[in-house]
Amino acid sequence: FAGGDRYVWTTGDATVAFNTRQARPDQISLAIRDVVFIDQRYFVIRDHCRQRSPGRVDWLLHARDPISFNQSEGSVVISRNGVQLLGALTAWNNRLQMRSWTGFPINVDPKYKDPAFIQSQVYLMEPALDQAHFQANTAEDRDEQLIFAVLWPSRNPAEAGLLKARLLDRETLLVQRPDGLSDLVRFG
């Protein structure tokens, strides 16, 4: 953890998690995720992956409600009951290909749909519902991949097109905020 007047920053090693779905269990030699919480308002996430041979990396987001996106702008929106989660994604020296879908890729254990079982578990609030999924994958194989995501919660639907993220170099992200302010976020 690190912190300052306007931010809290944490970094974690996700190498083991990133390798769980690889054909070669040691394909990812390093997967670092940085999460920065800025102005007690929004998040910036950076995934930095090194691979033993050139490959692509997926960035995933899951939600209860459908996820819409605009590939050319690198934007994502999840809406529910007048509240939105806005997202802006970009990759260093690469393009992102985006898609979204609903449903579970495998069948859910039936007990997670049983109201009696749900009530017996303190950590479950409702039966398993189909989820929405979003995937942004790097379009070109590289031995190193950097994906940046900005996540901005909002109650104002007019803010949807105002969140922008642009890389100035491999370590510096310019965030144009829906509130009219801009932030430079430097990693490294």
Side-chain angles (χ1 to χ4, degrees):
F1 279 98
D5 292 339
R6 296 186 55 217
Y7 70 93
V8 176
W9 186 333
T10 187
T11 300
D13 185 338
T15 306
V16 172
F18 272 62
N19 272 316
T20 59
R21 301 292 305 247
Q22 301 296 321
R24 190 175 137 192
D26 65 344
Q27 169 63 20
I28 306 293
S29 61
L30 178 71
I32 299 294
R33 172 165 282 175
D34 294 287
V35 179
V36 186
F37 187 47
I38 299 174
D39 291 341
Q40 296 186 9
R41 181 66 184 93
Y42 72 102
F43 293 91
V44 176
I45 301 167
R46 177 186 73 158
D47 287 327
H48 180 187
C49 299
R50 286 194 194 123
Q51 302 183 76
R52 298 195 190 284
S53 59
R56 298 176 185 178
V57 172
D58 295 338
W59 192 92
L60 304 172
L61 181 64
H62 311 283
R64 290 179 49 177
D65 295 291
I67 302 170
S68 60
F69 65 93
N70 182 316
Q71 173 123 3
S72 63
E73 291 185 13
S75 64
V76 177
V77 178
I78 304 169
S79 296
R80 182 184 188 133
N81 298 329
V83 177
Q84 298 84 37
L85 178 64
L86 310 177
L89 288 93
T90 188
W92 172 250
N93 196 26
N94 214 325
R95 296 174 295 109
L96 293 174
Q97 298 171 323
M98 299 177 175
R99 71 183 188 110
S100 66
W101 68 97
T102 57
F104 289 104
I106 60 173
N107 289 330
V108 174
D109 186 326
K111 71 182 178 187
Y112 290 105
K113 294 182 178 183
D114 175 12
F117 176 76
I118 301 304
Q119 287 184 337
S120 74
Q121 304 298 310
V122 71
Y123 64 94
L124 295 174
M125 304 304 285
E126 61 187 22
L129 306 170
D130 278 345
Q131 291 183 348
H133 308 277
F134 170 79
Q135 175 184 28
N137 68 294
T138 52
E140 297 161 18
D141 292 348
R142 303 266 192 271
D143 58 0
E144 183 177 40
Q145 302 278 8
L146 291 159
I147 298 176
F148 298 78
V150 179
L151 300 176
W152 179 278
S154 175
R155 293 186 185 277
N156 181 355
E159 290 185 340
L162 301 177
L163 178 64
K164 307 287 183 201
R166 183 170 55 95
L167 283 165
L168 303 181
D169 58 44
R170 66 177 280 126
E171 300 292 334
T172 308
L173 183 69
L174 173 62
V175 179
Q176 294 175 306
R177 301 165 43 155
D179 61 9
L181 301 175
S182 295
D183 291 318
L184 280 178
V185 182
R186 290 190 175 94
F187 294 87

